[in-house]
Amino acid sequence: MDELPIGRRVAYWRGRRKMSQQVFADRLGKSKSWVDKVERGVRRLDKFSVLYEIADVLQLDASLLLGKEPERRADGLTCIDEVEVEEIRSALERYDSMSTFFATTPQPPSLAEMTKSVNHAWLTFQYARYGVLTRALPKLVRDAQALDSVANGDDAQPAAHLLGQVYQIASSALRKLGEYELAWLAADRSMAVSQRADDPLLAGVATYRVGSALLALGRARPALEVNVSVANRLAPGGGNDSNPERLSVYGMLLLQGAMAAARMGDNNTVRDLVNGAEEVAGALGSDQNHYWTSFGPTNLELHRAAAAVELGEGWQAVDTHEQKIMGQDGFNALLPERRAHHMLDLARGFAQIGDLDKAGEALVDGDRLAPSEIRCRPIAHEVMSNVLRRTRGAPPAPFAELAEHMGVGI
């Protein structure tokens, strides 16, 4: 995008922020005609003061509008910036499998090397090191695509399997960081690749990622339908085995369907799906990480609490936490992303019942477990703003310090 005129860059980022010209103009205190002329190059942007106002409205570094790479933020290890988003987008938009018809693909890593890199990326995600992960994702995606494009014979399906996993990792990280459309694109790519990998369970987990992205985009009903539809196909019995891998994937699909139903306010469907997942978790016996799902009895309770929050029943989420999660060995054994995610849900639950001190404590506890899960997620910023706005007097010091780190005004 470096070669684009500055007006085109303004138009590009305005579109990314989903602002109409009128909304953008209103926030700048300008006319729609002025914005249109700037974006078409009819009017020059020759004042740095105006340029910085535009950058502020678009919530990006002014150097991006000038076609330069911005300086990395001091907190770059915990969040994502526009440059990294565009690098990931560029990697996702590659079509290496098609390009091999016309040119030789650069030498990809071996299957063993790629497997090691993918496993490391999954652990990086589950430890909520999102900044580290997003810096590595563009190369990881390109390497997996390159390997998949040249693999043949016995290597073809394992290479496709790895590429499908990479797309899932990308989808999960992008969804956490608020890039929901890119998250959906990556998840959709994973579903297509999973068919070539000939692994129904990988396709099931890809469906879970698609459902998560759809839910983030506000499309709860399609998210519910796709999760339940594929869950029914993967259900144990009727010719399907009941191994731990299948139970884990099936259970997570049910839980993701429950989250979608909760977003729709469908309490009955939530109850049915959570109860179904509870049976599966009981059959599994313990929390496991097959297909990187972290599914098991404890994760089930985390989703029960999260669904209660989505239904506006904060008291139920708090009760679930206090009765079935807090202090349990299963919870303490979960990886940081899962535990910090639950503390964020718990903070929302406490906020719903008006216990702002406890909401703040939950956010601080989540930050101690996995700073990126709290400091970098849009939903966490919303909760922080909500609690600060409703808090009378000065907030407790740890909470105020966290708000400062997050850039949320007190």
Side-chain angles (χ1 to χ4, degrees), residues 289-302:
N289 204 15
H290 298 294
Y291 281 80
W292 306 97
T293 58
S294 295
F295 180 75
T298 307
N299 205 356
L300 167 80
E301 298 302 334
L302 267 57

Side-chain angles (χ1 to χ4, degrees), residues 221-245:
R221 184 166 295 281
L224 171 62
E225 291 173 352
V226 72
N227 276 283
V228 172
S229 174
V230 175
N232 288 336
R233 298 180 187 183
L234 294 179
N240 289 335
D241 56 42
S242 299
N243 60 37
E245 291 83 2

Side-chain angles (χ1 to χ4, degrees), residues 138-169:
K139 183 178 186 301
L140 187 69
V141 172
R142 289 192 296 267
D143 284 349
Q145 289 170 332
L147 177 61
D148 178 66
S149 68
V150 300
N152 52 48
D154 292 340
D155 290 344
Q157 287 185 357
H161 203 287
L162 289 170
L163 179 57
Q165 290 186 62
V166 169
Y167 283 144
Q168 290 186 30
I169 295 167

